[in-house]
Amino acid sequence: VSEPGKSRRRKFWGWGWQDEGADAAQLSALEAGVKALLEIGDLKPLAAPEPEQIVLRAPRVTAPATLATKLSIDHYERLAHCYGKSYRDVVRALRRDFANPPDLVAFPESAADIAAIFDFCADANLAVIPYGGGSSVCGGVEPEIGESYAGSVSLDLGRMQRVLEIDPISRAARIQAGTFGPALEEQLRPHGLSLRHFPQSFEFSTLGGWIATRSGGHFATLYTHIDELVEALTVVTPRGVIETRRLPGDGAGPSAERLFIGSEGALGVIVEAWMRVFGRPTYRASASARYASFADGARALRAIAQSGLHPSNCRLLDPMEAMLNGAGGGDHAVLLIGFESDDHPLDAWLGRALELCRDHGGEVPETSIRSHADQQGARDGAAGAWRSAFLRAPYLRDALVARGIFVETFETACTWNRFAELHGAVTLAATRAARDSGAGKCVVTCRVTHAYADGAAPYFTVICRARDGDELTQWTQIKSAVTLAMLEAGGTVTHHHAVGRDLRPYYERQRPDGFALALSAAKAALDPAGILNPGVLLAPRARVSTPC
Ligand SMILES: Cc1cc2nc3c(=O)[nH]c(=O)nc-3n(C[C@H](O)[C@H](O)[C@H](O)COP(=O)(O)OP(=O)(O)OC[C@H]3O[C@@H](n4cnc5c(N)ncnc54)[C@H](O)[C@@H]3O)c2cc1C
């Protein structure tokens, strides 16, 4: 969990670099803001844990000599591979609860290393948990594997961070799965190319993690899911290496890539991928529109999503969400619109989108309209304010959690015909669940992160007082109520955060039974010993009784 070639380390208990976070002025503004928002008194922050304060269970296995340079029992590495970055993870880390660390942390450098680690783990009955950036927010990287394993190995792809090959004719690049967002873009930039995939976790997540979780980038329409960008994959499974063919489109049966996109480390380890890349945008145009209500803004959003204009940004913020992110005053909803291209000016596209905004009752301040032909353009105004708040948010989230505040996000997607009903039902379920948990005043906000011609992806944030010392039960109550409301209203349990261990019981309700059988059969075929990430997507292997 160190920056390659440098001594800078990521926090083992929360978001970002060890030496980065909110400064004193930001913290004091944050405290004042949340006290006013939730109408609460003094906050007593928990101090961040230090590695030496935590005693870890001794490793239950010993690395074989042949793998000694690839397997580590380093205290810091084991700590840093205990959890992902969800609310629940940060609470447990702040409470110094590291009861279930991986026994070993593996750092393979090649497909052959991974195959050797699989052999060792199958022989020793160890679970293998693929680990990219560890930014999972659904229990995807936690060694919560049930009782039928002798131990666990967290398999960190951090030594596989290179762009290996570029095909400029087809505009594609072959990239190792452990490559983090910034390193990936840095290596593509000299070629004038970009993957154009920017999840909020971009800085601390990897290509392999994105593919394994079907991540969503921050572009609101068109090529925003990693699924659309994968041309071919190489995956190491306990049954051997699977390499799919590079094709721009393909009708030969079910897609082999798609079996592994979203497989969350349960079917194999993605080691590299041919990815479709794009020219770096030089033209940008943006604006924002104000609406009296979220529902009015949603009608405009649908019109734009169905117009074929495909803006890169088209994000609707409810009044509270806009206020908390510095994009509005709290009395109106805000629709942020942006276009970008490496090929042509965008004034005509923006002009038509703004006509649609106005047709649906939107007010477009003239000062919000921007058009640039350079890399920086259109990054100021409401869109710029929102963007910098977006990137700062994870650090502030951790600071709030340390101050006893419950902050959790819930994301889903549904078709337009159910959108208004789902929005109402989820807001109500979240508000009730927070109130029933004894949290006092609670704030539920919503933004729409992605818009499709046939539907949209609303993203809810719930903020209230955490139940001191009982945060995890409170979390379970609220998570369960909200996720069930999303399912009942016709939504998905997750639009882009993946299933992991946390959402598996709800995913089981969404997934057709026949598909569950097919997935289990694929798992049994590729991972016969059941060592790969037990508990994500599918229930972990039952305890194996040993004959006397
Ligand atoms: C603050 C914050 C913001 C976020 N914003 C977004 C967002 O905008 N969009 C979004 O989609 N998600 C977002 N997420 C969730 C998370 O960043 C994504 O799920 C991301 O794709 C995970 O990538 P990672 O490299 O960190 O994977 P990890 O967290 O390390 O792993 C995620 C899952 O993939 C598996 N895995 C990882 N690498 C591989 C591999 N090479 N082969 C096979 N399996 C593998 C793991 O076993 C695990 O099940 C956010 C998370 C946080 C904390």
Side-chain angles (χ1 to χ4, degrees), residues 165 167 170-173 231-232 244-248 257 274:
E165 197 175 342
D167 169 357
S170 320
R171 266 205 179 166
E231 188 182 75
T244 71
R245 183 177 286 236
R246 287 188 60 201
L247 289 168
E257 293 83 36
W274 272 101

Side-chain angles (χ1 to χ4, degrees), residues 392-408:
R392 221 174 34 243
Y395 287 106
L396 299 183
R397 191 274 312 253
D398 288 358
L400 286 172
V401 179
R403 283 158 180 75
I405 305 296
F406 176 97
V407 198
E408 181 59 300

Side-chain angles (χ1 to χ4, degrees), residues 15 84-86 128-141 155 157 177-178 180 197-202 204-218 235 260 263-266 268-271 390 393-394 397 450 459 495-498 500-501 533 536:
W15 182 255
K85 297 289 177 283
S86 69
V128 181
I129 300 169
Y131 187 102
S135 68
S136 169
V137 281
C138 55
V141 291
L155 187 124
L157 281 284
F180 281 77
H197 187 72
F198 302 107
Q200 188 184 22
S201 53
F202 172 79
F204 300 106
S205 57
T206 62
L207 177 67
W210 300 339
I211 297 172
T213 59
R214 299 182 70 188
S215 66
H218 81 210
V235 185
F260 295 101
S263 61
E264 301 192 22
V269 174
I270 299 156
V271 284
F390 181 67
R397 191 274 312 253
H450 300 83
Y459 185 108
H495 171 262
H496 57 266
H497 279 173
R501 293 175 174 80
N533 217 359
V536 302

Side-chain angles (χ1 to χ4, degrees), residues 439-465:
K441 188 174 173 201
C442 145
V443 172
V444 180
T445 68
C446 182
R447 62 181 189 247
V448 180
T449 56
H450 300 83
Y452 305 90
D454 59 342
Y459 185 108
F460 299 86
T461 302
V462 180
I463 309 173
C464 61
R465 271 241 308 272

Side-chain angles (χ1 to χ4, degrees), residues 339-351:
F339 291 86
E340 59 176 53
S341 168
D342 66 327
D343 181 70
H344 48 261
L346 296 151
D347 305 281
W349 278 256
L350 183 64

